[in-house]
Amino acid sequence: EERSRELREIQAQLIQSEKLTSLGQLVAGGAHELNNPIGFVHANLQLLDEYIDKLLKGEDDPEEVKRLRTAISKLLSRSREGTLRVKEIVQDLRTFSRMDQAELQEADLCEELDRTLTLMKPRLREGIEVVRDFEPIPLIRCYPGQLDQVLLNLLMNACDAMPDGGKITLRTRKTLAGIRVEILDTGPGIAPEHQSQVFDPFFTTKAVGQGTGLGLATVYGMVAEHRGGLFVDTEPGKGTRFSFWLPSSDSG
């Protein structure tokens, strides 16, 4: 019992470490995403100050007053759009970082995929096309925070495999026992001598400092904890497909 407890603690620490690493990367990208709408709103506020100053000074030309009011209305509308974008980014980061490991919840994996894609926008702009092939799937009872980590790690690996751009296809399917999610990339694939090691802890083909070797091992453990299975199908020069299946809420 003592040994099992220690192993569970180590697993929890590894999961948290990997999550913090991923969160750090997301925050770095999110900072750029936040800078755009914040800069836009800041510029709008400067224009608003000028327009309101003109109105307060008593502009006599009715047409000019009408133009200023219209311009102010547009600036306010666009500023609200900018602040809404900031709110969405912050909310997605908060959702991803949620600490709900001990609480099972029902979740829609299509929605979780969309949320993860939103967080990854900075990475996905680097010449990577995303294709959504979503079919309606049943809700699953799960730890949403863990599955967000699973999706994020698999998507980041797909991006890393295509530094010069490519295509990622996301596919969801209903199965007899639950659901299946597939993430396919058009990267170079995994070399035959490495295929049996991809889920081994600390194994990585990335350069020093670019990978811990814990990403896929952590993903494998999280999927297993949900009574599911994780598989890889790859062919050198033709890309890689990671797929995992999970039991649905009504499958027991």
Side-chain angles (χ1 to χ4, degrees):
E1 289 182 6
E2 180 68 16
R3 182 58 177 165
S4 296
R5 183 185 63 79
E6 290 178 356
L7 289 173
R8 285 195 297 270
E9 289 179 355
I10 292 172
Q11 181 189 36
Q13 290 171 3
L14 289 175
I15 289 173
Q16 186 62 15
S17 174
E18 184 65 23
K19 188 161 191 173
L20 288 173
T21 299
S22 302
L23 189 59
Q25 296 180 44
L26 289 178
V27 170
H32 176 73
E33 284 289 292
L34 288 169
N35 188 57
N36 290 335
I38 289 175
F40 181 70
V41 171
H42 180 71
N44 283 354
L45 288 174
Q46 291 179 313
L47 286 174
L48 278 171
D49 187 48
E50 295 175 13
Y51 293 162
I52 292 173
D53 184 58
K54 289 182 179 180
L55 286 176
L56 291 176
K57 287 180 178 179
E59 178 65 52
D60 295 328
D61 185 351
E63 289 299 318
E64 180 64 11
V65 170
K66 182 179 179 181
R67 186 190 70 80
L68 288 172
R69 287 178 175 173
T70 300
I72 289 173
S73 178
K74 288 182 179 179
L75 285 174
L76 289 173
S77 176
R78 291 171 182 171
S79 296
R80 280 193 293 269
E81 292 174 4
T83 55
L84 179 60
R85 177 62 185 142
V86 170
K87 180 181 177 182
E88 289 172 347
I89 294 170
V90 172
Q91 181 60 46
D92 286 339
L93 286 170
R94 289 183 62 187
T95 300
F96 176 80
S97 62
R98 59 193 165 190
M99 298 297 293
D100 58 5
Q101 303 298 318
E103 184 180 351
L104 282 167
Q105 303 175 24
E106 285 199 332
D108 183 335
L109 260 291
C110 291
E111 292 182 0
E112 299 298 327
L113 271 168
D114 279 332
R115 181 179 295 111
T116 305
L117 284 173
T118 299
L119 288 172
M120 287 195 61
K121 276 186 178 180
R123 295 285 301 275
L124 296 173
R125 284 178 180 163
E126 300 169 4
I128 295 177
E129 175 191 2
V130 176
V131 176
R132 291 176 172 84
D133 182 9
F134 292 176
E135 288 187 356
I137 54 176
L139 297 176
I140 59 168
R141 192 162 178 77
C142 64
Y143 301 106
Q146 287 194 13
L147 291 189
D148 286 345
Q149 181 71 53
V150 167
L151 298 172
L152 182 71
N153 280 24
L154 294 178
L155 282 167
M156 281 188 167
N157 277 356
C159 289
D160 291 341
M162 301 182 296
D164 298 321
K167 181 169 71 174
I168 296 175
T169 301
L170 307 177
R171 187 173 294 147
T172 62
R173 293 291 186 269
K174 180 179 179 181
T175 67
L176 292 176
I179 65 163
R180 185 176 75 252
V181 176
E182 299 180 0
I183 298 178
L184 304 87
D185 67 62
T186 57
I190 302 171
E193 64 269 22
H194 295 152
Q195 292 179 15
S196 63
Q197 301 172 276
V198 292
F199 299 125
D200 291 350
F202 304 109
F203 173 79
T204 180
T205 58
K206 297 178 183 179
V208 176
Q210 294 184 4
T212 62
L214 290 174
L216 288 176
T218 302
V219 166
Y220 190 92
M222 289 178 176
V223 172
E225 187 172 344
H226 285 80
R227 297 179 294 119
L230 175 65
F231 308 94
V232 59
D233 180 20
T234 183
E235 187 174 347
K238 294 189 177 180
T240 301
R241 175 178 62 188
F242 281 96
S243 58
F244 64 90
W245 66 269
L246 299 169
S248 61
S249 297
D250 56 4
S251 65

